[in-house]
Amino acid sequence: MAETLLQSPQPLTAAVRIGEGRGDRMQIPPGALVVLVGPQGCGKSTFARRWFRDTEVVSSDECRRLVSDDASNQEVSREAFTVFYALLRARLTHGRVTVADATNLAPWSRQKLRQIALARGRPLVAVAFDAPLETCLERQSRRQRQVPVDVVEQSHHAFRQALAELPHEGYDRLYVVQPEAEDGS
Ligand SMILES: Nc1ncnc2c1ncn2[C@@H]1O[C@H](COP(=O)(O)OP(=O)(O)OP(=O)(O)O)[C@@H](O)[C@H]1O
Ligand SMILES: [Mg+2]
């Protein structure tokens, strides 16, 4: 396929699979940008809260909330992402570990994040959330902020493509997080 031919034949980064409860297995280099990748409801923000300090996590939905009092307000995307990228740049300029908590499903959005880190000489880590569509839908149906089912379906489809591309995008490390039973077994 044409898409396959555009990629280098060998992946640049081998994916390391971890369970959701094994975030302690990640090796995060000092000052790294950690790019989360996954559809709505897959568990990115929950995982980030568990394994990183609150100041390390920069969330696009939190930026929506900061500019409009509503974390799900899609009408303020421009201003929210201006704040999102400003926070990322500021932290990375000062060598602080920074987690980019957004879906990051579009190739251009990941490219932009890579450029921000590389311009400051910072390492790059990608963390992809390989949860089945049913898990994403079920999880997000139980939370307060609801995303339409068709949006989650489209995002999950985009995620399958992203998962194939991530090993070729040049991260220093690539983790693929898999859901575990909720009792942690
Ligand atoms: N390991 C888990 N076990 C059970 N429930 C989980 C787990 N991780 C997340 N959840 C639940 O799933 C829902 C979605 O999780 P979360 O908000 O972290 O997803 P998200 O990937 O950040 O979604 P979005 O892209 O919409 O922000 C939440 O209600 C959360 O409590
Ligand atoms: Mg989230």
Side-chain angles (χ1 to χ4, degrees):
M1 280 165 27
E3 281 166 359
T4 310
L5 290 174
L6 287 173
Q7 294 175 342
S8 56
Q10 291 296 323
L12 297 170
T13 318
V16 175
R17 292 195 167 260
I18 58 170
E20 281 173 326
R22 300 314 309 261
D24 54 338
R25 294 217 174 146
M26 292 188 297
Q27 292 178 7
I28 307 297
L33 174 62
V34 181
V35 179
L36 307 187
V37 184
Q40 299 87 353
C42 67
K44 299 179 297 296
S45 301
T46 304
F47 184 89
R49 267 196 301 276
R50 179 166 180 188
W51 296 112
F52 293 89
R53 292 187 209 170
D54 60 350
T55 50
E56 290 174 335
V57 181
V58 176
S59 151
S60 58
D61 288 331
E62 176 63 9
C63 291
R64 291 182 199 281
R65 193 181 72 82
L66 288 172
V67 302
S68 74
D69 303 315
D70 178 358
S72 60
N73 189 346
Q74 300 299 306
E75 291 174 14
V76 297
S77 293
R78 179 188 290 265
E79 294 80 9
F81 273 92
T82 298
V83 174
F84 177 75
Y85 290 122
L87 281 170
L88 294 178
R89 288 191 185 96
R91 290 187 57 84
L92 293 169
T93 294
H94 291 281
R96 310 309 302 174
V97 166
T98 303
V99 180
D101 179 8
T103 55
N104 296 321
L105 292 169
W108 66 263
S109 67
R110 296 193 299 277
Q111 188 178 23
K112 177 161 180 158
L113 294 174
R114 292 197 300 276
Q115 282 171 349
I116 290 171
L118 293 174
R120 291 159 180 79
R122 304 305 175 198
L124 277 158
V125 177
V127 183
F129 291 78
D130 194 9
L133 174 62
E134 297 68 30
T135 302
C136 298
L137 289 171
E138 193 274 324
R139 283 183 176 177
Q140 78 105 27
S141 73
R142 280 192 277 132
R143 73 178 175 185
Q144 197 181 9
R145 182 167 55 82
Q146 295 283 301
V147 179
V149 168
D150 62 324
V151 173
V152 181
E153 286 173 348
Q154 285 166 21
S155 293
H156 200 270
H157 183 73
F159 175 73
R160 303 316 306 173
Q161 182 67 32
L163 198 54
E165 291 169 359
L166 284 167
H168 304 272
E169 291 181 350
Y171 302 95
D172 296 287
R173 301 179 199 287
L174 168 58
Y175 295 100
V176 177
V177 176
Q178 295 182 295
E180 294 165 327
E182 288 186 23
D183 62 2
S185 59

